[in-house]
Amino acid sequence: MIWEVNSLSVSLSVFVILCTLWLTGKFFNEDAIYLYESYRNKKHSWRTIRLLKTSVFCSICEIMVPSNGIFCECCGICCDVACVKKAEKMLPCKEKRLSERAKPHEHLWVHGNLPANMECYICKEDMESQETGPGLFGFRCAWCQRCAHTDCFEFVEDECDFGSFKDLIVPPSAMVVSRTRGAPKLHLTGLNPPETPNWSPLIIISNTKSGSQEGSQIVSTYRALLNPLQVMEIGSHGPNDALQWAIIANPVKCKILVAGGDGTVGWVLNTIQSLGIENAEVGIMPLGTGNDLSRVLGWGEAAAADCEPLQFLQRVRTAVPVPLDRWEISVNKSTRIPLRTRRHQTFFMYNYFSVGVDALVTLNFHKARDSAFYIFSSRVVNKLLYLFYGGHQVLQQDCFELEKKVELWLDGERLETLPELQSVVITNIDSWGAGVHLYDLSKEPDEEHTQSFSDGLLEVYGINSSFHIAQLQVGLSKPVRLGVAKEIRIKILSPLPVQCDGEPWEQTQCDIVIKHHSQATVLQNKTSPL
C-alpha cells in the first residue's frame, strides 16, 4: 500500500533512538513492576520494594530493607527476603471478605513505615515528632489510614470506621462471594450495602500497558487504601470482570476510575454499553500518551508523579457526573465477491475519528510499540516516536491528495469541492492530538455555535499536512473548518489509514456512517487537576 514504509529502515531507526536513550540512562524503566509470584499466597500480596521509591524498614527485623526486598500491596508491611516466612506467620493482612457479624470491624495496625506528613489522631501532633532514630516507629491502620504514636497507642479504640473515605470503600462484611467447585477464584455474587451515608463504592480498573506503564503502581497504591478487591488490572479479556461490581451493586451507583489512556477509557465505556449498565459513573486517571478525554474532563494531561493518592480520591468523590455523547460508527466494506457485496462492522466513538496522515502517524507508532524493539516504557519515548513518524511524513507524504480519495457528506449534503487535504478529522471533544484545541483555534469572534461533548453535534476539520499538525501543536496555524453535523458519511475510494479514539487501522474501500447513538455518564473534575 502507498503509505507503507520500509519496515527494516524504520525498525533500525527506532532501535537506534531507543538504544541511545538507554545508554544515556534517562529513560530506562528502573521502576518496572515485577510480581514476586513465588511469594504470592493467600495471606499477603507481595511486590518489589522498588515500587515505593523510599527507604523502608523490615517489619520483622527492623533493619533497612535492601533493593531486593518486598512489601505487601494490601496492608503495607515490608520485609527482606529472609524474613518472608516469619512475616507470613506473625503479621496478618487485610481480610478482604468476612462473614457478616454483629461486632464492629476492628483496626488492622501496621507498625512503622508511615506515609509522610501524617499526624497522630490521638494527640494531633506530627507523627515524626516522637521519632528517636532509624527503624520502625508509630502505627497505622491499613483500613482507615489513621496513625498513632507508640506512646499514644494504648488510647486507641478497637472499632474501625474505615476513615474519611468510608463512602468509597466496600467493607469486608459487605462482600457476598461463592466458589465454583474446582475453581481457585472466589466470585462476587452480591453486596450488602453498609449503613454509610451516600455510599458509592469506587472500582478502579487499571491498564498496566497504557502510556508509561504506571498501571501496576496504581494498583499497589490503591489496594492499600481500599478493599484490595476493588482494584483490578485489565486483562486481554477486557474489563468485564471488574464491571460485574456495577451490576451486582445495582441500584447503588458505582464510581469507576479508569487508570489508562483514551483507548482504555473507550474500552470500558463500550463494555458498560454492551452489558447494559446504567449505574456507573466513569472517572479517569490519565496514564496514556494523548489523554484527550482526560484533558477535557478536567483530570489533566497525565497523572502527576507526586500525586497524593488521598487527595486524588477526594477529587473523585467531589467530581460531577456529566453526559458524554456516544457515536455509532457503521463501516460497510466493499468486496469483489458477488454473493457478498457488503460487510458490516459497528463500533462506538467518544473523542474523535479521522482519516489520513494523523491516523498514519498513530498507526506507525502502534506498529513500533508492538515490535520486538520496543523494550522501554516511557511517555517521553512515546512522544519521541510520534515526533519521529510525524517528521517522516513531512518528507514522504503518503496521504497526499486525500481530497481525491474520499467523499464527504454532512447531514446528507455532499461537500462537492474539498480543499487540498491530507487528513479529515471529526471531533466530539475539543482536544485532539494530545491537547490541540481545534475548535478554539478556528473559532470566529462572532460565531454562535459553541463546542460541547453532549450536544449531539460533531465538528469536522481538514488538516493540510504533517507539518500543519506540528503548527497546530504550537498554535501557529488554524485547521480547515469543514462544517458541523449530526450525521456524517465518508466514502473511502482507496485504502487509507483511519483511527477512532487513538486506535488506528488500515481501511480498505468502504462507506462509513457516523450518527448519534446514546450518552455515557462520566465524571468531570471541577477542581484543578493534580
Side-chain angles (χ1 to χ4, degrees):
M1 299 180 183
I2 60 173
W3 65 82
E4 289 185 348
V5 295
N6 186 304
S7 59
L8 178 60
S9 63
V10 170
S11 297
L12 289 175
S13 300
V14 173
F15 180 71
V16 170
I17 293 174
L18 295 180
C19 283
T20 302
L21 295 174
W22 177 56
L23 290 174
T24 61
K26 293 182 179 180
F27 303 118
F28 182 71
N29 187 11
E30 295 182 352
D31 299 320
I33 311 306
Y34 301 102
L35 180 64
Y36 280 62
E37 293 290 351
S38 59
Y39 297 127
R40 193 176 180 88
N41 55 46
K42 63 181 180 180
K43 290 186 177 180
H44 293 281
S45 181
W46 299 110
R47 298 268 183 166
T48 172
I49 206 73
R50 288 177 293 173
L51 190 148
L52 295 179
K53 300 180 180 180
T54 185
S55 299
V56 293
F57 296 87
C58 178
S59 299
I60 300 297
C61 65
E62 300 194 22
I63 296 176
M64 183 174 291
V65 178
S67 61
N68 66 339
I70 55 179
F71 80 104
C72 177
E73 65 180 356
C74 299
C75 66
I77 67 168
C78 306
C79 61
D80 51 48
V81 176
C83 296
V84 172
K85 291 184 178 180
K86 287 185 179 180
E88 292 289 352
K89 293 179 180 179
M90 299 171 55
L91 304 176
C93 189
K94 281 184 177 179
E95 295 179 276
K96 304 171 186 65
R97 63 179 185 89
L98 293 172
S99 299
E100 190 173 359
R101 57 187 183 180
K103 67 178 183 178
H105 191 275
E106 297 180 352
H107 290 288
L108 175 61
W109 294 108
V110 177
H111 189 199
N113 295 320
L114 306 178
N117 303 319
M118 298 295 291
E119 70 172 24
C120 175
Y121 87 105
I122 299 296
C123 67
K124 306 303 180 183
E125 293 185 8
D126 185 17
M127 284 301 301
E128 296 182 358
S129 62
Q130 293 187 13
E131 182 180 358
T132 58
L136 301 177
F137 66 92
F139 294 85
R140 173 187 59 85
C141 175
W143 282 109
C144 67
Q145 310 306 317
R146 291 187 177 96
C147 296
H149 290 122
T150 303
D151 294 342
C152 299
F153 191 65
E154 60 179 306
F155 302 106
V156 302
E157 68 277 6
D158 295 330
E159 182 180 352
C160 177
D161 63 357
F162 297 97
S164 58
F165 292 100
K166 57 188 174 183
D167 56 322
L168 302 179
I169 296 175
V170 179
S173 59
M175 308 280 292
V176 180
V177 298
S178 64
R179 187 192 301 272
T180 305
R181 179 175 295 180
K185 291 185 178 181
L186 290 169
H187 298 278
L188 180 69
T189 57
L191 285 175
N192 295 320
E195 296 179 359
T196 301
N198 302 317
W199 185 64
S200 180
L202 172 64
I203 311 304
I204 298 179
I205 304 175
S206 177
N207 188 346
T208 57
K209 295 183 179 180
S210 289
S212 56
Q213 300 190 2
E214 298 171 342
S216 292
Q217 184 174 356
I218 298 300
V219 169
S220 292
T221 299
Y222 288 91
R223 278 181 178 165
L225 300 177
L226 308 171
N227 187 319
L229 297 180
Q230 294 178 241
V231 185
M232 305 182 70
E233 297 180 52
I234 201 168
S236 58
H237 57 283
N240 296 60
D241 290 345
L243 292 175
Q244 294 302 312
W245 282 88
I247 297 175
I248 293 172
N250 189 54
V252 177
K253 283 190 176 294
C254 286
K255 298 181 187 296
I256 310 293
L257 180 63
V258 182
D262 288 334
T264 305
V265 176
W267 197 1
V268 172
L269 292 175
N270 289 341
T271 306
I272 289 175
Q273 162 66 20
S274 64
L275 295 177
I277 298 173
E278 298 180 353
N279 61 331
E281 302 169 344
V282 179
I284 304 173
M285 179 178 290
L287 299 183
T289 303
N291 302 314
D292 288 295
L293 184 58
S294 173
R295 297 167 190 262
V296 170
L297 294 176
W299 297 105
E301 64 181 55
D306 56 349
C307 172
E308 186 65 38
L310 294 178
Q311 193 175 1
F312 193 88
L313 288 179
Q314 180 62 25
R315 295 287 197 275
V316 175
R317 171 192 275 163
T318 59
V320 179
V322 294
L324 173 69
D325 285 335
R326 177 186 287 115
W327 297 87
E328 180 183 86
I329 300 181
S330 300
V331 180
N332 294 304
K333 302 177 183 179
S334 300
T335 70
R336 296 182 180 180
I337 303 177
L339 297 179
R340 191 180 180 187
T341 57
R342 313 293 282 180
R343 289 184 295 172
H344 184 75
Q345 183 182 8
T346 302
F347 48 92
F348 296 112
M349 176 194 79
Y350 303 92
N351 301 350
Y352 49 79
F353 179 87
S354 66
V355 182
V357 65
D358 66 315
L360 176 57
V361 172
T362 304
L363 180 62
N364 286 334
F365 165 74
H366 277 246
K367 288 181 178 179
R369 188 174 64 176
D370 294 337
S371 71
F373 292 107
Y374 189 82
I375 55 177
F376 305 98
S377 55
S378 168
R379 186 177 288 109
V380 176
V381 170
N382 291 347
K383 291 185 177 181
L384 286 175
L385 284 174
Y386 270 108
L387 178 63
F388 170 78
Y389 287 117
H392 183 271
Q393 284 304 306
V394 173
L395 303 176
Q396 181 174 323
Q397 300 183 11
D398 293 319
C399 296
F400 183 68
E401 294 185 336
L402 180 82
E403 69 278 2
K404 298 180 181 179
K405 303 171 186 176
V406 299
E407 295 176 359
L408 182 63
W409 284 262
L410 304 183
D411 289 333
E413 296 185 8
R414 180 181 174 183
L415 299 185
E416 297 293 343
T417 304
L418 290 173
E420 293 184 2
L421 298 174
Q422 290 192 28
S423 184
V424 174
V425 180
I426 301 166
T427 66
N428 180 47
I429 63 175
D430 190 29
S431 184
W432 163 86
V436 178
H437 302 291
L438 296 178
Y439 174 76
D440 287 342
L441 289 174
S442 61
K443 181 174 61 175
E444 299 295 335
D446 58 346
E447 185 172 350
E448 296 182 359
H449 170 70
T450 301
Q451 199 281 335
S452 171
F453 51 72
S454 58
D455 61 357
L457 293 173
L458 293 170
E459 288 72 31
V460 187
Y461 306 93
I463 306 297
N464 296 330
S465 64
S466 178
F467 184 68
H468 189 199
I469 294 176
Q471 291 178 310
L472 293 171
Q473 294 274 355
V474 294
L476 295 180
S477 184
K478 295 182 179 181
V480 180
R481 289 284 292 269
L482 299 178
V484 178
K486 296 180 179 179
E487 182 174 318
I488 297 172
R489 177 190 172 196
I490 304 174
K491 186 174 183 179
I492 296 180
L493 305 177
S494 61
L496 286 170
V498 301
Q499 68 166 326
C500 177
D501 291 349
E503 300 298 321
W505 69 92
E506 300 170 356
Q507 182 61 58
T508 57
Q509 293 177 315
C510 68
D511 272 345
I512 299 175
V513 177
I514 306 176
K515 59 183 179 181
H516 192 266
H517 181 274
S518 56
Q519 289 184 323
T521 302
V522 293
L523 292 172
Q524 187 170 23
N525 177 28
K526 294 293 187 178
T527 59
S528 59
L530 297 175

